[in-house]
Amino acid sequence: MGDNVVVSTMELERLLSMKGGKGEGSYANNSQAQARHAKSMHHLLKEALDGVQLEAPNMPFVVVDLGCSSGSNTINVVDLIIKHIIKRYEALGLDLPEFSAFFSDLPSNDFNTLFQLLPPMANYGVSMEECLAASNHRAYFAAGVPGSFYRRLFPARFIDVFHSAFSLHWLSQVPESVMDKRSSAYNKGMVFIHGANEITGNAYKKQFQTDLASFLSSRAVELKRGGSMFLVCLGRTSVDPTDQGGAGLLFGTHFQDAWDDLVQEGLISSEKRDSFNIPIYAPSLQDFKEVVEADGSFTINKLEVFKGGSPLVVNKPDDDSEVGRALVNTCRSVFGVLVDAHIGDKLSEELFLRVEHRATSHAKELLEQLELFHIVASLSFVP
């Protein structure tokens, strides 16, 4: 990933992952905010699950979490989904099917850490009821599926429920025009869309909508008739694509200033900075709705902007240094892998030290203003 080289879709798929392992900067240890946000939406998820068509018990019930990452959040949500579906079967007096869960993410994801967090499997030699009664065990088959969710991942008419949280704002690539010096969309001096020019913003919007269309067309083949999807991604309330709201403050402001520090100190060239852009886009409700309606394969049960709150989990909010540390750990866990690949571990360390310093200096402002919004979509498949 040299200067001014567009990171291709395949290159991004090879590199992108949340920070693996179980260290201080890992996603597993910096995804408590996502867990809190997900919990606040559990009632919406359960509403979506109530609309899923139940199969005969001789057919497995199949759940997929797309963009599973490597922490315990994905395990908790799959557990919730399966338990809720079990209650529906029991309420109807139906025999229970077997359950299968697929955890899917890009090949670079730390599946090892994820699978180490999985509870042991209950003994499927006994009845389903005995499996479910076994405490601290899982009553479902589990497997990992590496690959981009912007393409097909499963056989046709195979999946009952797709769940994806905090992933669809990741683009398949940085728009080519954004990285092209000859283009009016060239994002000179910037490393994120927030605060960019209108043409750059529209290039990001177009890339998001192209990617979402690919996502929907793939899932429309893979879902069973009567199946459902529950999707959550970063969103914004502004109509302006370059006003990314809380995402702009998280991925732009202090992160952008840290890059500028490295340039001013002569540690990297301005060209090196300009050839890095975060492939994230927080869509508006309209951005999302246009694509779903154009695809035509899904009924929209719910589509709304949900106030998610702060992405920072800070035990001592009066301690500025802890606020700074919380922000830098959040950033490193989410896109640190891309920074490392672009400028190397040593310069990456320098960059994030400056992010932490700037965040510490603006701790009060971050606690007061850093608030994320999410797009929440409940969609049913209507072939």
Side-chain angles (χ1 to χ4, degrees):
M1 298 206 329
D3 291 352
N4 301 313
V5 175
V6 176
V7 181
S8 68
T9 300
M10 294 307 296
E11 182 75 357
L12 189 61
E13 284 182 26
R14 184 181 67 80
L15 289 170
L16 181 61
S17 68
M18 302 301 99
K19 185 75 171 177
K22 299 176 183 177
E24 183 184 358
S26 68
Y27 186 81
N29 284 328
N30 290 281
S31 52
Q32 301 96 323
Q34 289 90 328
R36 185 180 64 216
H37 296 167
K39 189 173 183 180
S40 70
M41 301 177 210
H42 279 178
H43 64 292
L44 301 176
L45 172 57
K46 290 175 180 178
E47 281 179 20
L49 295 173
D50 285 338
V52 177
Q53 183 176 311
L54 300 184
E55 293 277 339
N58 60 321
M59 296 289 291
F61 191 95
V62 185
V63 177
V64 178
D65 189 36
L66 296 168
C68 63
S69 193
S70 55
S72 60
N73 291 351
T74 181
I75 297 168
N76 294 337
V77 78
V78 165
D79 189 59
L80 182 150
I81 291 170
I82 290 175
K83 285 180 177 176
H84 191 80
I85 294 298
I86 286 169
K87 286 181 181 178
R88 286 194 57 206
Y89 271 98
E90 291 176 340
L92 294 170
L94 299 174
D95 291 336
L96 294 175
E98 292 187 326
F99 291 91
S100 184
F102 292 97
F103 299 90
S104 182
D105 213 316
L106 295 176
S108 48
N109 185 59
D110 185 2
F111 285 102
N112 286 337
T113 293
L114 173 61
F115 292 148
Q116 288 167 10
L117 293 170
L118 274 174
M121 188 171 177
N123 180 8
Y124 260 92
V126 297
S127 69
M128 173 60 71
E129 286 71 18
E130 287 176 287
C131 289
L132 296 169
S135 60
N136 299 319
H137 283 67
R138 57 184 165 90
Y140 58 88
F141 296 99
V145 178
S148 169
F149 54 37
Y150 294 126
R151 295 195 298 274
R152 286 280 307 279
L153 291 166
F154 301 95
R157 306 291 166 255
F158 186 63
I159 309 300
D160 292 280
V161 173
F162 277 112
H163 173 273
S164 182
F166 318 120
S167 296
L168 272 169
H169 45 259
W170 281 101
L171 304 175
S172 66
Q173 66 177 75
V174 176
E176 292 186 11
S177 59
V178 169
M179 307 300 284
D180 183 355
K181 284 184 174 182
R182 300 163 297 179
S183 169
S184 54
Y186 181 51
N187 203 19
K188 182 174 177 57
M190 307 282 287
V191 295
F192 188 47
I193 182 182
H194 188 70
N197 70 49
E198 181 182 356
I199 300 173
T200 305
N202 287 333
Y204 265 84
K205 174 184 173 180
K206 182 180 178 182
Q207 184 68 54
F208 169 80
Q209 292 192 311
T210 299
D211 287 342
L212 182 59
S214 299
F215 176 91
L216 293 176
S217 63
S218 296
R219 305 296 83 81
V221 176
E222 297 163 346
L223 271 169
K224 294 177 184 175
R225 291 171 176 82
S228 290
M229 292 199 293
F230 186 78
L231 311 174
V232 179
C233 72
L234 283 176
R236 69 175 197 277
T237 54
S238 170
V239 296
D240 179 3
T242 66
D243 179 4
Q244 292 280 291
L249 186 54
L250 180 61
F251 303 128
T253 311
H254 301 303
F255 184 62
Q256 175 70 55
D257 289 344
W259 281 92
D260 295 343
D261 287 345
L262 294 191
V263 172
Q264 290 164 12
E265 293 168 30
L267 294 175
I268 64 170
S269 65
S270 58
E271 289 79 11
K272 192 70 174 175
R273 174 198 58 200
D274 296 349
S275 62
F276 181 88
N277 267 252
I278 299 177
I280 283 177
Y281 178 80
S284 68
L285 209 59
Q286 189 62 27
D287 292 344
F288 203 101
K289 186 178 181 181
E290 286 173 2
V291 182
V292 178
E293 291 181 341
D295 176 88
S297 299
F298 299 91
T299 296
I300 299 175
N301 303 316
K302 190 177 290 290
L303 184 59
E304 62 182 54
V305 177
F306 192 87
K307 187 176 178 180
S310 174
L312 302 182
V313 176
V314 183
N315 296 322
K316 300 175 183 176
D318 293 333
D319 185 342
D320 291 354
S321 63
E322 182 160 329
V323 176
R325 190 159 49 249
L327 181 93
V328 78
N329 282 340
T330 297
C331 290
R332 292 193 87 151
S333 71
V334 173
F335 52 78
V337 170
L338 295 181
V339 178
D340 292 350
H342 191 72
I343 59 176
D345 294 351
K346 186 177 179 181
L347 282 173
S348 179
E349 188 66 34
E350 290 289 335
L351 177 75
F352 283 113
L353 279 173
R354 284 155 179 77
V355 173
E356 183 173 359
H357 174 73
R358 287 182 170 278
T360 300
S361 301
H362 295 82
K364 190 172 185 293
E365 170 196 323
L366 282 168
L367 289 178
E368 291 176 353
Q369 299 180 15
L370 185 49
E371 181 175 64
L372 298 182
F373 287 85
H374 297 103
I375 301 289
V376 179
S378 170
L379 311 175
S380 295
F381 178 54
V382 283

